[in-house]
């Protein structure tokens, strides 16, 4: 019985991997069209690696971004590392942007910010969606359009509407009471 149990235990350890180091990609992108002079917009994406279980082993991270929207209207403006712990290289061929992050120091957290990618868009109508790819796994990148700022035009309209309503009530109430009182 002990032999059967020991063979079973050894078999389980042989079949199961000792450590899984599947990295996942995460990002935070926003689109801004503040530069009115050139008419161009920028899309800024902070790129993170999460679920880094083998903390010290993350040396080189190769990420590709395949642009699926209006790729011909998008240029790579900059790619900067998050801090001095990383070296960054980037290149673009067609609609594919290749990024290589090389770690210079030991990583001590499971979520690591690699760097910031800035894409320049020809105008605000450019659709800059794409697919990030890390270790063979693809992640869809979609960016929500920025909300239009509130102008505050609703407040004066509400005040005017209340004023007209109050004037109408005063008019109808005074029309009902036609009696004149002597003082």
């Amino acid at each position: 019985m002990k032999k059967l149990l020991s063979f079973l235990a050894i078999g389980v350890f042989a079949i199961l991997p000792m450590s899984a180091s599947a990295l996942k990609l995460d990002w935070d992108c926003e689109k801004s069209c503040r530069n009115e002079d050139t008419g161009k917009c920028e899309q800024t994406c902070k790129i993170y690696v999460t679920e880094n279980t083998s903390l010290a082993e993350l040396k080189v991270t190769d990420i590709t971004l395949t642009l699926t929207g209006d790729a011909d209207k998008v240029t790579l403006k900059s790619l900067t590392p998050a801090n001095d712990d990383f070296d960054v290289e980037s290149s673009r061929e067609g609609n594919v942007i290749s990024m290589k992050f090389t770690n210079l120091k030991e990583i001590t957290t499971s979520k690591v910010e690699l760097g910031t990618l800035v894409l320049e868009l020809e105008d605000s109508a450019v659709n800059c969606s794409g697919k990030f790819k890390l270790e063979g796994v693809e992640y869809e990148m979609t960016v929500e359009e920025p909300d239009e700022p509130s102008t505050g035009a609703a407040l004066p309209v509400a005040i005017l509407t209340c004023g007209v309503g109050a004037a109408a009530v005063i008019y109808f109430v005074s029309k009902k009471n036609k009696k004149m009182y002597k003082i």
Side-chain angles (χ1 to χ4, degrees):
M1 184 69 166
K2 286 183 181 180
K3 279 187 177 182
L4 179 63
L5 188 58
S6 62
F7 281 125
L8 184 62
I10 291 172
V12 167
F13 283 116
I15 292 173
L16 293 176
M18 291 296 178
S19 69
S21 61
L23 299 176
K24 289 192 176 179
L25 194 62
D26 193 13
W27 60 91
D28 182 22
C29 293
E30 69 177 39
K31 184 177 178 180
S32 66
C33 297
R34 296 186 190 114
N35 194 352
E36 298 293 330
D37 300 335
T38 63
K40 296 185 179 196
C41 296
E42 286 184 354
Q43 184 165 312
T44 305
C45 296
K46 290 186 182 228
I47 303 171
Y48 303 91
V49 169
T50 60
E51 297 185 20
N52 179 25
T53 57
S54 56
L55 298 176
E57 295 177 14
L58 183 63
K59 297 293 181 198
V60 177
T61 307
D62 290 316
I63 300 172
T64 59
L65 171 61
T66 304
L67 299 171
T68 57
D70 303 325
D72 56 330
K73 297 180 181 179
V74 177
T75 57
L76 175 62
K77 187 172 182 182
S78 67
L79 178 64
T80 56
N83 51 42
D84 294 336
D85 296 347
F86 290 99
D87 273 343
V88 177
E89 298 174 25
S90 66
S91 64
R92 179 172 180 177
E93 288 185 31
N95 64 338
V96 177
I97 298 172
S98 299
M99 298 168 272
K100 182 178 183 177
F101 296 91
T102 306
N103 181 20
L104 304 175
K105 294 184 179 177
E106 185 175 321
I107 294 175
T108 58
T109 60
S110 62
K111 182 175 182 178
V112 181
E113 181 180 352
L114 297 176
T116 304
L117 171 72
V118 179
L119 302 172
E120 188 173 67
L121 317 176
E122 282 188 16
D123 56 46
S124 61
V126 172
N127 175 12
C128 187
S129 57
K131 294 181 181 180
F132 281 112
K133 190 172 187 179
L134 173 65
E135 294 183 347
V137 180
E138 285 190 351
Y139 304 89
E140 282 289 326
M141 175 184 76
T142 56
V143 178
E144 296 178 14
E145 294 294 320
D147 294 333
E148 293 296 320
S150 177
T151 61
L155 184 61
V157 171
I159 292 172
L160 285 174
T161 304
C162 291
V164 169
V169 167
I170 291 171
Y171 174 75
F172 286 117
V173 168
S174 66
K175 190 120 174 132
K176 269 185 160 178
N177 297 329
K178 291 189 176 184
K179 291 183 180 178
M180 294 199 64
Y181 295 100
K182 228 182 190 182
I183 298 181

